Amino acid sequence: MTVRIGTRASKLALTQTQQTADQLAAIGGFTVELVHIKTEGDVLTGSLSQMGGTGVFVAALRDALLREACDVAVHSLKDLPTGGTPGLALAATPKRVDARDVLCARDGIKLADLPKGASIGTGSPRRAAQLRAARPDLEIVDIRGNVDTRLGRVPGLPGNTTDAVVSGKSCDLDAVVLAAAGLERIGRLDAVSEFLETDIMLPAAGQGALAIECRLADAPPRPGSSEGSRGVLAQSLAALEDTDTRLAVTAERALLARLEAGCAAPVGAYAYRKGSMLYLEAVVCAVDGTATVRDQRATDGLTEVGATLLGIELAEILLGQGAADIADLAAS
């Protein structure tokens, strides 16, 4: 038996997919084969929000599953639109790693110590808005590219291949903001000058988590459902499932869905379980950072239904506090 696992061809995608493939093979005793799928996000240039958002990294992989060009697809969960695809299932959410954002700055400078007018690169409206709220005196620069390309925009970072200053290409920024999880997976945490705590920057919904999708017929049954499979692949996928991660990302994604927040909406959300409670905190920011609404709630309903209701409840609270007035939630 050979299980074909679809992946984008970026360094980060290949790394996290290979790690997942190795785990599945070890559990199931089958061989695995990586299938490289080119997505619109890998081909198009320009701002991520103008391209159609995070979904541009997912659609081609989902299509490959439906065409049976692969059996499993591995996504960064934050790239997964909140709407599902008929015939496919979110089969497993492995244990989440560090969900925080990180600052990678020249000379190891921290956010509070960057000089007035310093330039910080990010392609995320969520990060840009929260940076402006924290430091309105900084210059936020919209950037694209893979992790190594973005790190290459900051002079002196470990692992950079050049020290030549080329505007728009290399060593031309004071700092960039990236996800801790991605740097951890490709072994570049040495470039981090500061882990940004959630009181400064709430992460994207699902950040730090992986989403493993497959066809519904091959997926392990979800609680309360008879749909799915008891086959070797399904059992192997079930072994990768982390219940606390599933609850947390379910709450975060339910909040996004209720807000009807598009990929370019400046919304941060982070949920975590502590003891018998599931906590969820979220923020909606004006793009220019001049206004924010932020709140948190908790539930003892430690089920997917309970997590979903928590996300909806907090979204309603934020909307009641004017979230839709300060941000274009439908931005795509």
Side-chain angles (χ1 to χ4, degrees):
M1 176 181 175
T2 298
V3 174
R4 298 161 302 159
I5 304 182
T7 178
R8 296 170 57 210
S10 72
K11 180 178 179 181
L12 175 56
L14 287 172
T15 300
Q16 63 193 25
T17 300
Q18 187 64 62
Q19 291 169 351
T20 302
D22 291 344
Q23 291 175 316
L24 283 173
I27 294 166
F30 44 70
T31 59
V32 293
E33 173 190 342
L34 264 56
V35 179
H36 294 190
I37 306 294
K38 185 170 287 188
T39 73
E40 287 188 1
D42 300 312
V43 177
L44 299 176
T45 59
S47 169
L48 178 62
S49 59
Q50 293 174 348
M51 291 192 309
T54 53
V56 299
F57 296 121
V58 173
L61 284 164
R62 285 179 159 174
D63 181 63
L65 283 171
L66 293 171
R67 290 187 291 104
E68 300 190 8
C70 61
D71 305 302
V72 172
V74 179
H75 312 281
S76 292
L77 204 148
K78 69 176 182 178
D79 291 343
L80 209 62
T82 54
T85 297
L88 300 183
L90 179 50
T93 54
K95 186 174 178 60
R96 189 181 213 169
V97 297
D98 197 332
R100 290 175 295 178
D101 291 297
V102 293
L103 183 75
C104 302
R106 59 176 176 82
D107 305 319
I109 301 175
K110 291 182 168 40
L111 180 62
D113 299 325
L114 282 168
K116 181 178 179 179
S119 56
I120 301 186
T122 176
S124 161
R126 171 190 61 82
R127 290 173 178 150
Q130 292 186 87
L131 284 170
R132 291 185 178 109
R135 288 288 309 270
D137 58 322
L138 299 179
E139 178 190 0
I140 311 302
V141 180
D142 185 49
I143 62 173
R144 280 278 330 269
N146 61 36
V147 174
D148 286 330
T149 298
R150 294 180 188 219
L151 291 174
R153 300 288 296 269
V154 181
L157 294 185
N160 282 358
T161 58
T162 180
D163 57 5
V165 179
V166 180
S167 181
K169 289 189 176 181
S170 65
C171 300
D172 62 332
L173 300 176
D174 294 298
V176 293
V177 176
L178 296 167
L183 295 182
E184 179 181 345
R185 287 178 177 130
I186 65 170
R188 293 209 63 182
L189 281 178
D190 56 353
V192 174
S193 56
E194 182 180 8
F195 287 82
L196 299 173
E197 299 300 335
T198 54
D199 59 337
I200 295 294
M201 184 170 294
L202 278 172
Q207 186 162 307
L210 295 180
I212 305 178
E213 280 193 310
C214 69
R215 290 180 290 278
L216 187 59
D218 297 326
R222 296 300 304 155
S225 172
S226 59
E227 292 184 302
S229 169
R230 302 287 181 183
V232 174
L233 175 57
Q235 293 182 45
S236 302
L237 289 166
L240 294 184
E241 175 75 359
D242 181 74
T243 301
D244 288 354
T245 297
R246 173 78 67 160
L247 291 175
V249 300
T250 296
E252 293 164 12
R253 287 163 60 77
L255 177 131
L256 283 189
R258 176 60 191 91
L259 290 175
E260 299 181 352
C263 63
V267 177
Y270 180 58
Y272 61 93
R273 178 179 174 178
K274 185 175 182 181
S276 62
M277 302 293 289
L278 179 68
Y279 296 86
L280 173 63
E281 185 172 9
V283 66
V284 178
C285 305
V287 173
D288 62 5
T290 57
T292 63
V293 292
R294 182 177 184 133
D295 216 318
Q296 59 183 339
R297 287 294 183 274
T299 182
D300 60 0
L302 300 180
T303 64
E304 288 185 54
V305 171
T308 299
L309 292 175
L310 176 63
I312 294 171
E313 177 191 7
L314 184 52
E316 295 283 4
I317 290 168
L318 294 175
L319 289 170
Q321 294 175 352
D325 297 325
I326 69 167
D328 180 8
L329 294 177
S332 63

